[in-house]
Amino acid sequence: MQEYDLSQWVLFFFLYSFLGWIWESCYVSVRKHRWVNRGFMHGPMLPLYGSGAMVVLIVTLPVRDNILLVFLMGMIGATILEYFTGITMERLFHVRYWDYRNLKFNVRGYICPLASLCWGVFSILMVKVVHIPFEHIVLLIPVTIADILAFVLTIAAAVDFTQSFNEAMDMKRILVQLEASKEQIQKMQERLKDASEEMQDRLKDASEGVQERLKR
């Protein structure tokens, strides 16, 4: 197993976060026929892909020569990460950033067999194809330069994450306020409906009373 230092792991994380952003943004943009900047953050990165890549690398590099184990361990590791990330983000922000509820055998919409199989295939492609040239490039970077790049990227990502987190929390408050306003509007509609029905009953009683007096 190839051992990496901390800076190299950080560079791999940002590299795969960027590649994941490209893939996801292009895929969604093609489906929606317009450009969609996917992701939680402003910058061109999707930390879920970076984290998923780190998990896949950690659990598969010891068995990188066995394709079946790479598929199974990568699939399991990435699926676990996706499940808990989905739960955490929805609880924090009241927003689902992906939803598998329209797919069969999904678990609360966070994970599903099809997505897990895709993670397994992705693990094989990453370990056997994609990671090899990127590993070679990163290992060629001098340690000092790698440390500086990792530090700069980490600071930039931290600033971006902080701003994006604050905006997401603002959106959460807006959604909560909208939900409260919706409930108030529904209550007002119910009250207006009850008042309208009561008014109709009174008018009906009054009309019947007038008709009875006219008959006399």
Side-chain angles (χ1 to χ4, degrees), residues 134-179:
F134 289 131
E135 177 186 54
H136 180 69
I137 293 172
V138 170
L139 292 179
L140 287 177
I141 301 175
V143 175
T144 302
I145 296 178
D147 290 342
I148 294 173
L149 284 174
F151 177 76
V152 172
L153 289 172
T154 300
I155 294 300
V159 172
D160 190 342
F161 178 83
T162 301
Q163 182 180 359
S164 300
F165 181 85
N166 291 333
E167 291 176 356
M169 293 304 292
D170 290 339
M171 181 180 295
K172 175 184 176 181
R173 284 191 288 270
I174 291 173
L175 290 174
V176 171
Q177 291 173 357
L178 288 175
E179 188 66 27

Side-chain angles (χ1 to χ4, degrees), residues 12-189:
F12 284 134
F13 169 80
F14 285 110
L15 173 63
Y16 287 114
S17 295
F18 174 67
L19 293 177
W21 175 83
I22 293 177
W23 157 254
E24 185 107 354
S25 296
C26 290
Y27 173 73
V28 175
S29 296
V30 169
R31 293 190 62 184
K32 293 185 177 295
H33 305 291
R34 60 181 175 82
W35 173 249
V36 178
N37 182 11
R38 287 288 287 177
F40 166 74
M41 301 170 67
H42 294 286
M45 65 176 294
L46 275 172
L48 176 62
Y49 280 84
S51 302
M54 294 302 96
V55 169
V56 169
L57 288 175
I58 290 171
V59 301
T60 62
L61 285 181
V63 295
R64 67 191 306 174
D65 295 327
N66 189 319
I67 291 182
L68 180 59
L69 288 179
V70 169
F71 176 86
L72 290 175
M73 296 183 71
M75 178 183 67
I76 293 171
T79 298
I80 292 173
L81 174 66
E82 186 175 39
Y83 180 76
F84 286 104
T85 301
I87 291 177
T88 301
M89 295 191 74
E90 185 173 8
R91 288 184 178 177
L92 280 175
F93 310 124
H94 289 190
V95 175
R96 279 181 178 258
Y97 287 87
W98 65 88
D99 194 348
Y100 300 135
R101 283 179 292 188
N102 62 323
L103 298 177
K104 292 183 178 180
F105 309 115
N106 71 84
V107 180
R108 299 173 61 186
Y110 300 121
I111 58 175
C112 69
L114 179 59
S116 296
L117 291 174
C118 289
W119 279 114
V121 174
F122 167 78
S123 299
I124 294 176
L125 290 175
M126 188 179 74
V127 173
K128 292 294 186 180
V129 180
V130 177
H131 187 64
I132 294 175
F134 289 131
E135 177 186 54
H136 180 69
I137 293 172
V138 170
L139 292 179
L140 287 177
I141 301 175
V143 175
T144 302
I145 296 178
D147 290 342
I148 294 173
L149 284 174
F151 177 76
V152 172
L153 289 172
T154 300
I155 294 300
V159 172
D160 190 342
F161 178 83
T162 301
Q163 182 180 359
S164 300
F165 181 85
N166 291 333
E167 291 176 356
M169 293 304 292
D170 290 339
M171 181 180 295
K172 175 184 176 181
R173 284 191 288 270
I174 291 173
L175 290 174
V176 171
Q177 291 173 357
L178 288 175
E179 188 66 27
S181 298
K182 181 180 177 182
E183 293 178 357
Q184 291 178 354
I185 292 173
Q186 288 178 341
K187 290 180 180 178
M188 291 178 62
Q189 289 176 336

Side-chain angles (χ1 to χ4, degrees), residues 186-204:
Q186 288 178 341
K187 290 180 180 178
M188 291 178 62
Q189 289 176 336
E190 292 175 358
R191 291 175 182 174
L192 289 173
K193 182 180 178 181
D194 293 339
S196 176
E197 291 177 351
E198 183 179 354
M199 181 64 69
Q200 288 178 357
D201 291 338
R202 291 183 178 181
L203 289 173
K204 183 179 179 181

